[in-house]
Amino acid sequence: MRPSFRRPAPAAARLLGLCCAVASPLLAQQGEEARERWQRVGDVVAALGIGEGSVVADVGAGGGFFTVRLARAVGATGRVYAVDIDAGVVARLEARRAPEGWSNVTVIHSIPDDPRLPAGTLDAVLVVNAYHEFTAPDTMLAAFRRALKPDGRLVLVDQTPPASRLGAPRPRQERGHDLGSWFAAGDVRRAGFEILRLEDPFIRRDQRTGAQSDWWILVARPPSAAETGQRR
C-alpha cells in the first residue's frame, strides 16, 4: 500500500516553517564551524602572517568562506580583495557586501591570466582549493609577485590526488580537481618565490571531521630587491 501524505493544518504549517527558518541558519553555522576545524582555518590565517590593518587577497573566493574570516582578521583598517573568475560568484559576493557589513572587502572579477590586484600593496595572497584550476599558473604567480609587498606571503592550500592519480600527469590530476604539491612547488620556485614551508599532508583525510581527502599547504615569499639584483 502506498503511504499517504497529508497537508499539515495551517497552524502546524506555520510552526513547521518557523522551525525550519530557525534551524537552517543553525545548521549552516554548525557546518561552517565543522569546516573551520577540519580545514584548520586558524592555522591557514596564521600562515599568512596578517593582522589588524593588513591587506590580503582571497583568490578563488567562491562563496566567501575565507573572505569573511580574513575580513575579521584584518579589521576595519584592513582590506580584503575577494577575487574570482566566475561572474555569478562575483555577483553573489557583491550582493553579500552591504547586508553583511563587508565594508573592508573589495570584490574583483578576474580573468584567467590576471587576478587584477593592485601592484605592491598586498601583505598576503591566499589561494584555497583553486590553484589546480589555474589555466595560466606561471602568469598568475607573476601577478601575485607584483601585487605583494617585499615581505608579503603567498599561501597555497589544495587537495592531494588520491592514490589512483598520485603519479598521474598534471593535466589528469587537474581534471580530477586536485594537484600534487610538487607541481605547485615547481611553479612557485620558477616564479622566483622562496618556499618557506611545504607541509604535505597539512590536513589528513578523516571522515569524522569532514575532510574527504588529504590537503597540502605551501607558504612562500617573494625575493627581496637585493636577491633579485644578485640573480641578474
Side-chain angles (χ1 to χ4, degrees), residues 6-21:
R6 293 181 296 173
R7 185 185 300 274
R14 286 195 297 271
L15 179 60
L16 179 62
L18 178 61
C19 289
C20 290

Side-chain angles (χ1 to χ4, degrees), residues 108-130:
I108 296 177
H109 187 192
S110 63
I111 56 177
D113 60 353
D114 189 356
R116 293 175 167 167
L117 292 166
T121 59
L122 269 65
D123 296 291
V125 172
L126 175 64
V127 185
V128 177
N129 199 28

Side-chain angles (χ1 to χ4, degrees), residues 127-141:
V127 185
V128 177
N129 199 28
Y131 189 76
H132 65 263
E133 300 285 353
F134 286 6
T135 57
D138 292 345
T139 308
M140 289 290 281
L141 287 168

Side-chain angles (χ1 to χ4, degrees), residues 8-219:
R14 286 195 297 271
L15 179 60
L16 179 62
L18 178 61
C19 289
C20 290
V22 172
S24 294
L26 180 60
L27 289 173
Q29 180 182 354
Q30 290 173 342
E32 293 214 341
E33 288 173 352
R35 180 178 173 183
E36 283 192 348
R37 288 192 296 272
W38 74 255
Q39 205 162 26
R40 297 180 59 181
V41 170
D43 294 328
V44 172
V45 174
L48 292 165
I50 58 173
E52 187 78 25
S54 295
V55 180
V56 58
D58 179 14
V59 179
F65 178 82
F66 272 95
T67 298
V68 172
R69 285 146 184 85
L70 295 175
R72 293 176 192 152
V74 303
T77 59
R79 175 65 43 187
V80 177
Y81 293 100
V83 182
D84 208 282
I85 196 172
D86 188 302
V89 166
V90 168
R92 288 190 289 274
L93 288 170
E94 282 284 9
R96 293 182 64 180
R97 288 181 69 252
E100 299 191 30
W102 290 3
S103 59
N104 61 349
V105 174
T106 299
V107 180
I108 296 177
H109 187 192
S110 63
I111 56 177
D113 60 353
D114 189 356
R116 293 175 167 167
L117 292 166
T121 59
L122 269 65
D123 296 291
V125 172
L126 175 64
V127 185
V128 177
N129 199 28
Y131 189 76
H132 65 263
E133 300 285 353
F134 286 6
T135 57
D138 292 345
T139 308
M140 289 290 281
L141 287 168
F144 295 160
R145 182 172 160 179
R146 289 192 299 271
L148 284 166
K149 296 176 183 177
D151 58 348
R153 290 291 177 272
L154 169 65
V155 176
L156 309 178
V157 183
D158 220 317
Q159 297 187 65
T160 303
S164 60
R165 284 201 311 276
L166 201 57
R170 180 170 185 159
R172 185 182 167 201
Q173 290 189 5
E174 290 172 337
R175 286 195 297 272
H177 302 288
D178 41 46
L179 186 68
S181 62
W182 50 94
F183 288 119
D187 295 346
V188 168
R189 290 193 183 98
R190 189 164 55 251
F193 286 87
E194 176 191 355
I195 295 178
L196 303 176
R197 172 186 168 200
L198 176 56
E199 189 175 342
D200 184 2
F202 170 64
I203 298 166
R204 287 280 190 181
R205 182 178 186 274
D206 188 344
Q207 298 287 358
R208 294 170 300 173
T209 60
Q212 301 300 306
S213 62
D214 287 350
W215 295 61
W216 51 263
I217 185 171
L218 185 154
V219 183

